[in-house]
Amino acid sequence: MKSKKKIKTILLVLGIFCVLSTISSYNFYDDQFNSEELVEVRDEIDLKTAAIQDINITTPEEIIYTSPMSGYYPATYGFENDQNGQNPTGWVYNSIIGDAHIVEDFNGHNKVARIFDNNGAFEFWVINYFSSKSNGTVEFWLSSRQDAQDGIAVTLRDGGTIGPFIGIDDGGFYYDEGSGATWLSLSYTADSWHHHRITFNGDTQKYNWSIDNELLGLNIDFFSSISSINEFHIHTGPNWDFSNPIGHFDAVGYSWDEDYEIGDNLYEGLLLSFDHDITPDWLRYSLDGQANKTILGNTTIPMPADGPHTIQVFGNETGTIHKSEIRNFVVSIINIITPENKRYTKPMSGYYPASYGFESDEDGMVPYNWTSSQGTVVDSLDDHNKVLEIDNTDNNIYWADNTFVQQVNGTIEFWLNTTFTGGDPQRIRLMGDTSTIGPDFRIMNDAWQYRVVNTWYTMYQKDGITPMLIYSADTWMHVKIEFECGSVGYKGLSPDTYRVIIDGNSSEDLDFRYTRNWIDTFSVWSGGTLSTIYQIYIDAVGYSWDTNYNLGDNSKEGLLISFDCEIPLDNIAYSLDVQDSVPILGNFTIPMPSDGTHTIQVFGDVYTSQVRPFIVGKYYPPPPPPGDDDDDDDEEEIEFLVSILIIGGISLAIGAIAVAAYLIRKRRIVRE
């Protein structure tokens, strides 16, 4: 009887197993071919250490910074942590004669040291001491009331003996080498801020002096013979009217401060401010998880590069480390607009590479580095964007000139369009030697002419027989001028000759109007002898001597680099594919890069944009790997499905037979 029960159990289990095998086989098939990739979803785990709230960051805030924080400059001594009315930390002064204390702001600078002289009969001074330096750089901002007799002076000393000696007085700047003042040509306006940099060398006992980042004093002798410096003095003369503040100083930076880089205080930065309830042995901060930097308290850091950032403050109180929260913020000083982060299958319409493409000039304004009586930039004309328009609105002579370094020979190429070609509507001139004309040509009654002295001649092609192409109004034409003033034989030209190439069609060699030793001005004129109102347009002027321009670049459209920035930038450059940076005036068109993946980055003064990736060229899907195409995948899927069905069917049949056998045997037992 027991053996019969065993057989029943085995048959039943075998049947259930076969059915489950069939179901699981189907599920396996479905997982292999029909399901999306499984994604684990879980709550985000905060891996940061919980902030101890006895250090609380105030700035930077959790925002996007599109400009530095106004009035704050990075420095060794920036006074951001000093209380208003307090004496500047790290500085001493002769309190019997005057006073030095912190004020909230003065004339665009925040948290600065103000100087008073309370006794006009004596010199007042404020001093910072440091270990002896045989050479180095000190830079700072200084402002003087400057309406008294002796002005304000800065000296670097060794134990009181003067080395470098500079000053402000009588509306100007001077230095003293021990024998009296030597004046610079730069004038001074009362209460204005100027950045000063003194780079000294104790071995040679000389120093250089820069004002507002311009070197104005080179190899100046020390006032006295010393070989090292250990004191920085700001002081007054003995004849001050002491009824008002004498002056202000801010953002003192030393080259030997390992947390300060020379040049940091030229530009405003980002204020790191915080409060705490501890008595710290030291305070430090970390930007973007980098090595900690020691600070006295609130401080100004150089503006970080564009992009997301983090900052955290640490404090040590008798061995216990305190932390602030990790503060997130974003910097976007230079925001690249184009190229966008996308694929470019063709150039950007209407933008042509050039030395002067006018992309960064405002509409209605005379373009940068040009002079003009009636020439301003307009947004577009036909297929050209940002072009120079000379508008002859009252039948007068108008012009637009660009002056450059003297060139004995070279090539100028540009695009030209005029709305009227009858009469004498426009002239192109290259001038030099006190604005005397060399090449001089024009469009006259739809034809091209050139002038020698005071006579106009028809301009012929190279064969000397066929006139140059007839010009049609309202048509853009590409014009190239090759010229030679000397005997070098540039492009095969003789002295004082030139040729004009229009849409690739060259003239014969033409004589200058007057002989010239060099050319330094490109000039476009309206004729002034017509009663018709018309306009002349110029675009994409390229010079062969421009090291960032290659002849022929402006014959085809390119890719516009455009960006915006809320602060004025003096020194702008870009880098394509991490190559050497190229200086530009602002928005700028580059030749279309080769097919492939590229990056662009823009720099301005001390600010850096994010890296912008983009792709050039059409998209061609990569071929499938050998033996891995879609047809093979389909065949493999079908074969796998058939196998699963066969296995599942066999399993199901076995299970059915097992169940049937069980039922038959059970019936027999019942009958018996």
Side-chain angles (χ1 to χ4, degrees), residues 258-272:
E258 62 182 15
D259 293 326
Y260 179 81
E261 296 288 337
I262 290 301
D264 280 354
N265 68 357
L266 271 169
Y267 303 97
E268 292 164 318
L270 195 65
L271 176 66
L272 171 59

Side-chain angles (χ1 to χ4, degrees), residues 197-218:
R197 178 181 296 158
I198 301 172
T199 300
F200 60 89
N201 188 321
D203 295 332
T204 62
Q205 298 186 17
K206 294 181 180 294
Y207 64 98
N208 296 335
W209 179 20
S210 297
I211 301 177
D212 297 333
N213 211 30
E214 182 180 357
L215 181 61
L216 297 178
L218 179 64

Side-chain angles (χ1 to χ4, degrees), residues 616-632:
V616 173
K618 294 182 179 180
Y619 176 70
Y620 300 98
D628 193 31
D629 55 37
D630 291 339
D631 292 338
D632 289 343

Side-chain angles (χ1 to χ4, degrees), residues 403-591:
T403 301
F404 41 80
V405 176
Q406 297 171 358
Q407 304 295 324
V408 175
N409 53 57
T411 298
I412 299 174
E413 55 183 3
F414 55 96
W415 288 87
L416 173 69
N417 190 326
T418 182
T419 60
F420 183 70
T421 60
D424 183 13
Q426 62 83 26
R427 299 176 185 176
I428 306 294
R429 294 172 169 174
L430 304 186
M431 299 183 292
D433 293 359
T434 64
S435 299
T436 304
I437 302 169
D440 187 4
F441 61 96
R442 70 181 183 182
I443 299 172
M444 179 69 171
N445 294 325
D446 300 331
W448 295 89
Q449 296 181 339
Y450 71 101
R451 180 155 61 168
V452 179
V453 188
N454 292 318
T455 303
W456 288 99
Y457 298 93
T458 299
M459 187 184 296
Y460 291 102
Q461 299 183 28
K462 276 189 174 182
D463 59 12
I465 300 173
T466 308
M468 289 292 284
L469 298 174
I470 294 175
Y471 183 81
S472 299
D474 299 311
T475 303
W476 281 105
M477 302 190 79
H478 186 270
V479 181
K480 181 187 295 185
I481 309 169
E482 299 172 343
F483 65 90
E484 173 63 83
C485 299
S487 57
V488 175
Y490 177 75
K491 301 287 186 180
L493 291 165
S494 302
D496 297 311
T497 64
Y498 67 104
R499 64 177 69 101
V500 179
I501 303 169
I502 302 169
D503 287 342
N505 187 34
S506 178
S507 74
E508 62 182 335
D509 293 356
L510 311 171
D511 291 330
F512 284 7
R513 180 176 179 184
Y514 301 105
T515 59
R516 297 273 64 80
N517 293 320
W518 66 78
I519 297 296
D520 63 5
T521 304
F522 170 58
S523 182
V524 183
W525 287 58
S526 65
T529 60
L530 303 172
S531 58
T532 302
I533 295 175
Y534 65 95
Q535 293 79 35
I536 302 169
Y537 298 93
I538 297 290
D539 188 23
V541 179
Y543 296 142
S544 60
W545 50 90
D546 178 358
T547 57
N548 297 317
Y549 178 80
N550 295 315
L551 287 177
D553 280 353
N554 70 355
S555 63
K556 297 180 180 180
E557 293 165 319
L559 195 65
L560 175 67
I561 300 175
S562 64
F563 57 93
D564 57 31
C565 183
E566 293 186 2
I567 59 175
L569 300 175
D570 295 323
N571 303 296
I572 308 173
Y574 78 91
S575 172
L576 177 67
D577 299 332
V578 202
Q579 299 175 22
D580 291 342
S581 59
V582 177
I584 54 178
L585 300 175
N587 294 347
F588 187 75
T589 303
I590 62 173

